[in-house]
Structures are given as C-alpha cells and as structure tokens.
Amino acid sequence: MSEQVQDLPAQKKLRDGLDLLDFFCKGWRPHALILLALLACALPGFIALQPLDRDESRFVQATTQMFETDDFIRISFQDEPRNKKPIGIHWLQAATAGPLNGPEARTIQTFRIPSLLGAALAALCVFQIGTLLYSRRVGLVAGLAIACGLLLSTEAGIAKTDAALAGFTALAYLGLAKLRLPAAGPATDWAPWALWVGLGMAALIKGPIGPLLVILSGLMLLAWERDFAWVKRALHWPSMLVAAVIVLPWYIAIWQATNGQFFFDAVGQDLAPKLSGQSENKSVPPGAHLLLSPVIFWPGSILIPLALWTAWRDRKDARVRFLLAWLVPGWLMFEAAPAKLAHYTLPVHGAVLLLGAIGLFSGGWKTAWLRWTSIAILAFGTLIMAALPVVLAADVAKGAQTIALQASLAIGLTGIVALVLVIRQSRWAVGALVGTAIVSSLAIKGLFVPSIPQLDLSQRVSSALEKEGLHPRLSPGKPGPLIGVGYQEPSLIFLTRSDSALSSVKAAVAAAKPGVGLVVNADPKFEVPLVEGLAQKGLSVTWRGAPLPGLNYSKGDEVTLKIGEVVAAPKRIQASGPQR
C-alpha cells in the first residue's frame, strides 16, 4: 500500500504530461508546433549569419552565375565547371532568389529558403511517419526532436544540399511506410507518389545518395521479411513516370552539354575520393558519427538510449523493422566511408528519433538505468553546447569573451532547468528542452557568431570596398573586376562579382587596370609579387583604409588583408645634364 501511495505523485505527473501532449496533438496543432520550433531554432542563423560555409558560397555563386549566363544546365564556379552535385538545389535556389530580389542583390537569405523548406519537410514527414506507424504522440515528440536538433536546424540556415536532401528522403520513407501497411489501399493513393517524387527530387539534388539509402532499406526488409506485397504496390507506373520526368531531362541535357564529362568528374573527383579516403576531408575511423551523436542530435539526444532499447526489444515488430531498415544500412554506410562530415547521417536521423519516441511511450522511461543513461547523454550534450562559445572565443575571437560568456551562461542555465524538469518528470520537460534548443540557437547563431569580426572577414572586405568606392558591383560605375591574391574565399567572390580575379598573381595582374579595387594578404610572400607584377604592367597601388585582420576559418589561419586601388604608375622624369 505504501508503494502505491509513493507512486501516485509520479503517476499524476506522467498523466498531466500526457494530457498536455495530447492537447498539442489535436488537429493542426502538431504541424504548427513543429514548424514554429524549427523556425525558432533555424531563423537566428538563417538571418544573422553571412556566408561562412565554403560549400554554401560555392553553391550560391554557381546559382548566381546561371542567371548571369542564362545557362541553367551547366554548373560553374567562375570559369571552372563544378561537376560535383546535380542541378536540383540550384534550381530551387533560383526559384526563390530570382523572384524575391534578384540574384544580382546577392542576398544570402533568399538562397537559403530551399534549405529551410527542406528542413520543414523533413520534420513534418517524421511526424507523419510516427503518426502512421504508432500515434500522434510518437510523431510529435520525434518531429519536435529533429526540428530542434542542432544539425537539422543548422542546415536549415545554410544554402546547400543537405537539408533539402533530408526533406525529400524523408518524403520517400513516408511513402514507403504507407505502402508497407496491410491496409495500404489501392496503388493510386498518395503513397507511391510520395515515394517516387521523393526519390526523384533526392536524385536531382544529390545524385545517388538518397535513392541508395531507400534501396538499401528495401533490400534489408525483403531479406528480413520475405514479403514482396509492398513492392508490387510501390511499382506504380504513373508516379514512376513522374520521377523519371524529374530526373532524366537534366541528366540527358548535362551529358550532351559536357559530352559526359559531368559524370566522369562527379564520380572520379567527388564520389570516388570520398569512398577511398583521398578527398580533401581526412579519413576518419568508423564510429565517429556515433561519438558525435550526443551533440548533433542535441537536445533530442536524450532519445538515443531509448531508441537502442526499442530496437532490440521490439525488433520483431514490423513497424520497428521498418525503422531499423531506414537506420541501419545508411548509418553503417556512412560509418564505413573514410570521409566523414557531421551532416552525412542527417537523412537517417528521423529513424533514431522515432525509435526513441516509441521507447519513451512504451515503458522505457520507467526503467531506472535507461532513464538515467538518457539523462546523462543529455547532460553531456548540454555541457558541450554551453562550453562551445567560451572555447570558440578563446581560440578565434579573443575580443568576444564577454558575449561568449553570456551565451554560455544562457545555454547552461536553460539547460540546467531542462535537466531538472526532465529528472522530476515534469509535464513541462518537453517544452523546456525545446526552449533550451531555441535559446542555444539564438545565443550562438543569432548573437555570438555574428559578433566575431574575425569570422566575417569577407563581408568586412566587401563593406570596405564599398566605402572606398571600389566595390565592383555596388560602387558607382562598378569598377572591376576585383583583383588580389592570398585570400580566395568563395564568400568574397559571391559578395563582390563573378569575374573577381583572386586565384593567383598571374590572374590578378592580367585582369588589373587603373581604377579597380585590390585586396591582398599582407604577408610579403603575397603582397610583394603582386606589386612587382603590377609594376611590370605600368601600374601601382594606392592603399585605402586600415588593414583588416581576420581568420581564414577554412584553414584556421590568421590573416590580415589590405585594400587598395590600382592606379597608373607615375612616369619617371629622367634628369638631363647641361647641354654642350
């Protein structure tokens, strides 16, 4: 009797929490809540951050050049073909950047909209899969976890392929989940359309990765279950035809436009080096993605132990088998590849979080060791996130310690509150975790990182050029092209002009003419050869403004840049002796 009395408060807390969750599960509320949570976590970086990621700048610059050349088939970065990823993300960026304020404005936020929409699609599809297989409770918790997760909410504010790929891959898995249900309905319902449109768009955005994940999942299910009924439902020719119409026209057009070179380069220079460990990203041993998971899933990382528990306990359940087939082949493939970046596993995150949400509502949280393991992982991720601003300030932003400390304190305090509420099994625990993710995003992506001038060097150079009347796109008369050496960041090319000559002394001197702007690394090994090369062409430099110190973040090197104007060298007056 005493044990029952002691359990009553815990039972009441659980019942109150479920009642609150059920309130948000009704009607349109879960969709709105997931979208609001994603926006709150993604928009600080989406709005405040200038282009920092090198790949982001390459993608948006290539999209901009499509408007300039009126060529929406070939992908180029300046004069170099960019034969790495298919056209999909560029077309999506063109569809948003073009109508809003035009590509010439170079407003990075308009290019980021497809990533934000892709992240929203991913989170909503995770919710729908959870609802389809289990309940709205499961779907809402998993949808919120991925929407607020560090990785997806960050990728939602970066104009490259990963968030969009996650969205369309999740759409394909939503279709596959529906097709596997015994009462799937006729083959003309929405399921095959979701599957094949998702596959087609994934293939147009990042080539074989998305389709390969779904194919591996299907093969695992067939080997495990020996059930081909869902395959027959999936072979729906109208939706397959739509997928072909999405993919094949551009693939045929790019083959003709490049004589097949796009495919040779995409495989030989992009995919193969990553698989062999010869890419620009160093080889990393298997297990790295697993070690990163407490941080990249945070705060949804609290669900990871519950996901493992559910996967083992319910492995004979057809619904769990589907989620394991979504997760296991893809995760193993990414772990086996020598090149590893944190965002690679994003398309399979939904499966982890859905498994965790299932465990949460099927008794896992009542098991003490499982509950405390989940809390420990959450606490570890919170500690890393709270320490991140202070560590980053000490390494690259020594003048930003105050705001770094404020950001760390904000994350730490909200994280502690969330941990306490989780431990107490409060009805507000889920809301506290969502709030912690929002505070973290605002503190780091919205306030701290934008306050670090060392990381914003390209934007500072662009502003300095405009102030001095030397900006090749924004200054009166558009003096250009910008020339220079020692700092060739894609972000500076995007912020200035496509014909900027920053690759070498030879290219800079060839493009130089009186009146153009110049940016050069103040290191003598860059500055001296450039000045000498200009002199041989009858040109010199008039330096403008103060040198700009900063960080070449892609290499981790400190750099100081000088701004100047190329002018005609003064003619030397040769002294003549007395006439005889």
Side-chain angles (χ1 to χ4, degrees):
M1 180 69 179
S2 61
E3 290 180 1
Q4 292 178 351
V5 172
Q6 290 175 358
D7 284 344
L8 285 176
Q11 292 174 2
K12 184 178 185 303
K13 288 180 181 179
L14 180 61
R15 186 169 59 251
D16 290 346
L18 292 177
D19 288 344
L20 182 64
L21 193 63
D22 286 338
F23 171 79
F24 286 108
C25 283
K26 295 177 181 177
W28 52 268
R29 293 170 188 164
H31 304 90
L33 189 60
I34 289 170
L35 290 177
L36 287 174
L38 174 67
L39 290 174
C41 291
L43 285 182
F46 180 97
I47 294 170
L49 292 180
Q50 290 298 325
L52 294 176
D53 186 284
R54 268 189 160 186
D55 276 344
E56 176 180 44
S57 297
R58 292 187 182 110
F59 276 114
V60 297
Q61 175 60 31
T63 302
T64 299
Q65 289 181 211
M66 290 180 179
F67 284 96
E68 294 174 345
T69 61
D70 202 26
D71 183 351
F72 288 85
I73 299 298
R74 288 175 290 191
I75 308 167
S76 300
F77 179 81
Q78 293 195 292
D79 294 331
E80 294 292 327
R82 185 165 165 78
N83 296 337
K84 293 178 178 288
K85 303 293 188 296
I87 199 73
I89 196 64
H90 299 286
W91 281 355
L92 293 175
Q93 290 174 356
T96 56
L100 287 175
N101 63 355
E104 184 60 22
R106 313 283 176 114
T107 304
I108 187 62
Q109 288 78 14
T110 62
F111 293 86
R112 289 172 174 167
I113 292 174
S115 293
L116 186 64
L117 295 177
L121 178 62
L124 292 176
C125 285
V126 167
F127 164 73
Q128 289 296 146
I129 293 171
T131 300
L132 191 67
L133 298 181
Y134 283 87
S135 67
R136 283 198 158 203
R137 286 179 181 176
V138 169
L140 179 57
V141 168
L144 283 174
I146 196 169
C148 296
L150 177 64
L151 188 55
L152 184 66
S153 65
T154 299
E155 291 294 338
I158 303 177
K160 52 193 185 75
T161 57
D162 300 291
L165 174 68
F168 286 110
T169 304
L171 180 64
Y173 277 108
L174 174 59
L176 186 59
K178 180 70 164 65
L179 287 166
R180 280 177 42 79
L181 293 178
T188 54
D189 68 2
W190 57 264
W193 295 99
L195 172 64
W196 289 104
V197 170
L199 288 175
M201 289 302 299
L204 197 63
I205 287 171
K206 208 167 183 177
I209 298 300
L212 179 60
L213 290 173
V214 178
I215 290 170
L216 290 175
S217 297
L219 292 175
M220 180 175 172
L221 287 169
L222 291 175
W224 199 348
E225 300 174 335
R226 309 296 175 126
D227 179 12
F228 289 82
W230 62 267
V231 178
K232 295 178 182 178
R233 292 193 290 269
L235 298 177
H236 176 243
W237 71 264
S239 53
M240 294 172 69
L241 180 61
V242 169
V245 169
I246 291 172
V247 175
L248 291 180
W250 179 79
Y251 276 80
I252 294 171
I254 194 64
W255 179 279
Q256 295 176 338
T258 65
N259 292 320
Q261 191 63 41
F262 175 89
F263 297 93
F264 292 112
D265 290 348
V267 174
Q269 298 181 17
D270 187 49
L271 182 60
K274 290 178 180 177
L275 296 178
S276 64
Q278 302 300 314
S279 70
E280 59 185 9
N281 302 309
K282 295 180 180 179
S283 281
V284 180
H289 289 300
L290 183 62
L291 292 175
L292 281 175
S293 58
V295 177
I296 60 177
F297 280 89
W298 183 88
S301 51
I302 191 174
L303 297 174
I304 292 175
L306 292 160
L308 296 174
W309 178 77
T310 302
W312 177 254
R313 189 196 66 168
D314 297 341
R315 60 191 181 279
K316 295 182 179 180
D317 189 313
R319 299 168 297 179
V320 170
R321 286 200 299 266
F322 168 77
L323 295 175
L324 287 174
W326 179 0
L327 168 63
V328 173
W331 193 282
L332 292 178
M333 179 181 72
F334 294 128
E335 289 283 18
K340 293 179 178 66
L341 293 177
H343 61 258
Y344 283 1
T345 58
L346 184 57
V348 301
H349 281 199
V352 177
L353 297 170
L354 283 165
L355 287 167
I358 295 164
L360 181 67
F361 294 111
S362 60
W365 197 253
K366 297 177 183 178
T367 306
W369 70 266
L370 189 57
R371 179 171 68 252
W372 285 106
T373 302
S374 302
I375 291 170
I377 288 180
L378 173 65
F380 176 73
T382 303
L383 179 64
I384 297 296
M385 292 300 298
L388 185 61
V390 173
V391 172
L392 188 60
D395 187 32
V396 302
K398 296 180 174 57
Q401 286 92 342
T402 300
I403 192 169
L405 183 60
Q406 293 171 345
S408 291
L409 286 174
I411 298 168
L413 289 175
T414 53
I416 290 172
V417 170
L419 280 167
V420 170
L421 293 177
V422 168
I423 292 170
R424 291 174 60 85
Q425 302 183 54
S426 167
R427 65 185 296 191
W428 303 108
V430 174
L433 290 174
V434 172
T436 301
I438 294 171
V439 169
S440 171
S441 180
L442 181 63
I444 295 177
K445 294 180 283 187
L447 298 174
F448 172 61
V449 175
S451 73
I452 304 175
Q454 291 91 333
L455 294 178
D456 204 12
L457 188 54
S458 292
Q459 180 61 50
R460 289 160 57 214
V461 170
S462 178
S463 298
L465 289 168
E466 187 175 5
K467 179 181 178 181
E468 299 294 339
L470 297 172
H471 199 289
R473 182 172 51 85
L474 301 176
S475 296
K478 297 184 178 181
L482 178 69
I483 70 166
V485 67
Y487 186 77
Q488 195 191 355
E489 284 302 311
S491 53
L492 181 58
I493 295 169
F494 170 70
L495 291 170
T496 54
R497 212 166 76 183
S498 300
D499 59 355
S500 296
L502 306 174
S503 60
S504 65
V505 171
K506 181 179 179 181
V509 171
K513 58 185 179 181
V516 307
L518 176 146
V519 56
V520 63
N521 189 320
D523 189 321
K525 70 179 181 181
F526 296 110
E527 181 180 346
V528 172
L530 179 59
V531 172
E532 291 177 348
L534 292 173
Q536 293 175 4
K537 196 176 178 180
L539 301 170
S540 65
V541 181
T542 300
W543 300 110
R544 300 282 193 87
L548 301 172
L551 184 75
N552 188 336
Y553 48 83
S554 58
K555 298 180 179 179
D557 299 331
E558 292 185 355
V559 61
T560 298
L561 302 181
K562 296 171 69 174
I563 304 296
E565 178 184 5
V566 176
V567 297
K571 295 181 179 179
R572 294 182 179 179
I573 301 176
Q574 184 174 359
S576 57
Q579 295 183 357
R580 294 184 178 178

